[in-house]
Amino acid sequence: MTASLGPLLREVTTILLDFDGLVCSVFAGLSADEVADRMRQRIAANGHTVEVDWETESRSRSRC
């Protein structure tokens, strides 16, 4: 099944994920703030605009 994803994702530049369950375990031990900061940095580093309200979004202190 994984091999069949190649043609589907070949032209994709961005994938949005819901950070719950299995995906959340990738960020285990990091605060939500840290994950959000890293993602904003990655978005900007790839030449995309980080919206002002993304920077000022209130942050929770929860962990994945």
Side-chain angles (χ1 to χ4, degrees), residues 2-17:
T2 304
S4 64
L5 291 177
L8 177 65
L9 297 176
R10 188 169 291 122
E11 303 297 321
V12 173
T13 58
T14 305
I15 298 174
L16 298 177
L17 301 171

Side-chain angles (χ1 to χ4, degrees), residues 1-63:
M1 184 167 148
T2 304
S4 64
L5 291 177
L8 177 65
L9 297 176
R10 188 169 291 122
E11 303 297 321
V12 173
T13 58
T14 305
I15 298 174
L16 298 177
L17 301 171
D18 178 16
F19 291 93
D20 191 11
L22 297 176
V23 174
C24 193
S25 68
V26 172
F27 299 104
L30 296 175
S31 70
D33 291 350
E34 179 66 23
V35 173
D37 287 340
R38 288 182 184 191
M39 297 193 90
R40 282 189 291 266
Q41 290 170 8
R42 197 77 169 293
I43 290 167
N46 283 301
H48 301 285
T49 301
V50 176
E51 302 294 330
V52 174
D53 57 337
W54 295 358
E55 290 291 345
T56 58
E57 181 72 27
S58 63
R59 297 173 173 163
S60 67
R61 297 290 172 214
S62 64
R63 292 188 176 273

